[in-house]
Amino acid sequence: MTDKKPGFFKRLFGVEIVPAAPDPRPAPAETLPEAVPTALTPDLVVPAPEPVAPGPPDVAPMVPDHVPLPGPPETTPDYVEAVEARAHAVAPAPAHAAAPVEQASGWLARLASGLKRSSDQLSGSITSVFTKRKLDNATLDELEDVLIQADLGVETATSITDILRRDRFDRDVSGEDVRAVLAAEVEKVLGPVARPLRIGEGQAPFIILMIGVNGSGKTTTIGKLAQKFAGEGKSVMLAAGDTFRAAAIEQLQVWGQRTGASVVSRPAGSDASGLAFDAVTQARAEGRDVLIIDTAGRLQNRDELMNELEKIIRVIKKVDPSAPHATLLTLDATTGQNALKQVEIFGQRAGVTGLVMTKLDGTARGGILVAIARKFGLPVHFIGVGEGVGDLEAFTAADFAQAIAGREQP
């Protein structure tokens, strides 16, 4: 039934039917009989969005730009960007004359936050020890055990207790008094090794060889260093010398894209020493300021792997007898006492010139850096307290000492 009188449906259903625009497409050969409109006809309902037709199996579906693409970690720019977003989930401060001061304050806050596990452990233990009003031998012995368990080392622990015994014995001592002595002693030990990494003016390219055990954060540290050097206006080249882990090659290529550094790479399984030779030759030909060479992570007790590392160094010296100009050992702070053995063996086999301590935010025993500094006296160039680029900074003894002791920055 069809009623041609205008307003019929408006009177019947309270809805006025508006004729649809004519369809420009040709009508099909057969047409269905005209149906009686109802309140549920398509013309009266907001149409649902059409589903996206699936494509061929080997074609990825379209994904909006704001949705992160899936992928294995450390191999895509999305992973690196996500890490940066988590590390700096704050609104950027406006640029003005006081920006350098604010930047420094931000680093001190991240340093204190990164060392919170270590400082909380130490502070809690110190507070629990000093429940007596007078400092006696039993209390000093307990304090010494606490400091040794925090991986500060026997020598540092003994020095702190000796100072307290000399100056405060049989007197009232608070936890804050002990933390002040702790901070002063830590700064005294770390002061001589807190040295910045200086790029030689007459050495182009300045060749940095990065070494360390598996999982120490070596490749990520290389990316952060590349960004720092690029920010200083230096021309940087990276060499993906960790040819045993395919993800390391991809990860370094991502950092190269982000920092504008060219990356020399070969297929996984290629000879690392040959790649190092090509990288040094190419960096010299292109006039690069800095060349950072990654190497495969290796355990310090595997003699055959250490022999390969020595071969890489020999090959580099064939191109430039003065290279590598810096051999940086990346240490994972969470390994604790094992880091001491790493410094000893890598120093003997590869001639370590400086240290980068990473993952201080992942351990309650950040004091291992103090033990390493006292025993070996190697320069500590950088420390890392997080995943973001801004979480790797030049090492400062005073800031570290105050942070690990859990004291307010002066």
Side-chain angles (χ1 to χ4, degrees), residues 71-384:
E74 300 183 344
T75 60
T76 64
D78 302 277
Y79 171 81
V80 180
E81 296 295 343
V83 167
E84 287 298 293
R86 290 198 305 271
H88 302 286
V90 294
H96 50 73
V101 177
E102 292 184 359
Q103 184 177 5
S105 299
W107 162 246
L108 293 178
R110 291 197 299 275
L111 177 61
S113 176
L115 288 172
K116 183 171 176 57
R117 288 190 185 184
S118 296
S119 61
D120 284 354
Q121 179 75 17
L122 272 170
S123 296
S125 299
I126 289 172
T127 300
S128 66
V129 168
F130 286 89
T131 57
K132 301 178 181 179
R133 294 185 59 83
K134 302 291 184 181
L135 181 65
D136 55 20
N137 286 323
T139 305
L140 287 171
D141 288 342
E142 289 183 54
L143 175 63
E144 189 173 35
D145 290 342
V146 166
L147 298 176
I148 292 173
Q149 290 170 11
D151 282 340
L152 286 164
V154 175
E155 294 85 354
T156 301
T158 302
S159 296
I160 293 172
T161 53
D162 284 348
I163 292 171
L164 290 171
R165 180 179 286 106
R166 181 191 66 207
D167 298 339
R168 306 301 296 269
F169 192 79
D170 201 28
R171 297 170 57 188
D172 293 344
V173 176
S174 67
E176 177 57 29
D177 294 333
V178 177
R179 285 190 288 271
V181 174
L182 169 63
E185 186 63 20
V186 167
E187 183 177 354
K188 177 182 174 182
V189 174
L190 296 179
V193 302
R195 295 179 237 165
L197 178 64
R198 302 194 182 280
I199 306 300
E201 295 294 337
Q203 299 165 320
F206 186 87
I207 301 172
I208 302 172
L209 183 67
M210 299 294 295
I211 61 177
V213 302
N214 292 303
S216 62
K218 189 163 34 62
T219 304
T220 301
T221 299
I222 289 174
K224 295 176 182 180
L225 290 176
Q227 184 134 323
K228 285 185 178 296
F229 293 141
E232 296 170 2
K234 294 181 173 60
S235 173
V236 182
M237 175 180 286
L238 308 178
D242 186 354
T243 58
F244 294 98
R245 183 170 68 94
I249 299 173
E250 300 293 335
Q251 185 182 0
L252 208 64
Q253 289 173 338
V254 169
W255 279 109
Q257 294 171 6
R258 296 189 70 224
T259 61
S262 62
V263 180
V264 178
S265 63
R266 300 287 182 272
S270 300
D271 178 57
S273 58
L275 182 142
F277 180 90
D278 293 342
V280 175
T281 303
Q282 184 174 336
R284 296 184 72 179
E286 296 181 5
R288 298 283 178 171
D289 297 318
V290 181
L291 168 64
I292 309 177
I293 303 176
D294 193 9
T295 60
R298 59 197 76 230
L299 296 175
Q300 71 275 9
N301 58 358
R302 292 288 298 276
D303 192 63
E304 73 280 8
L305 297 179
M306 299 303 289
N307 288 338
E308 292 178 0
L309 182 58
E310 291 176 338
K311 179 182 177 182
I312 292 174
I313 296 173
R314 290 196 302 271
V315 168
I316 291 174
K317 289 185 178 297
K318 289 182 179 179
V319 185
D320 185 346
S322 65
H325 304 110
T327 302
L328 303 185
L329 175 61
T330 305
L331 294 171
D332 179 350
T334 63
T335 60
Q337 291 293 315
N338 186 261
L340 288 164
K341 181 59 70 173
Q342 293 176 32
V343 176
E344 179 181 356
I345 302 301
F346 277 101
Q348 293 171 356
R349 303 294 294 268
V352 175
T353 63
L355 305 176
V356 179
M357 179 68 80
T358 66
K359 305 182 185 179
L360 281 164
D361 58 321
T363 180
R365 295 183 174 180
I368 188 61
L369 184 59
V370 181
I372 291 172
R374 185 180 283 274
K375 183 173 182 179
F376 297 101
L378 284 169
V380 181
H381 297 309
F382 300 95
I383 58 171

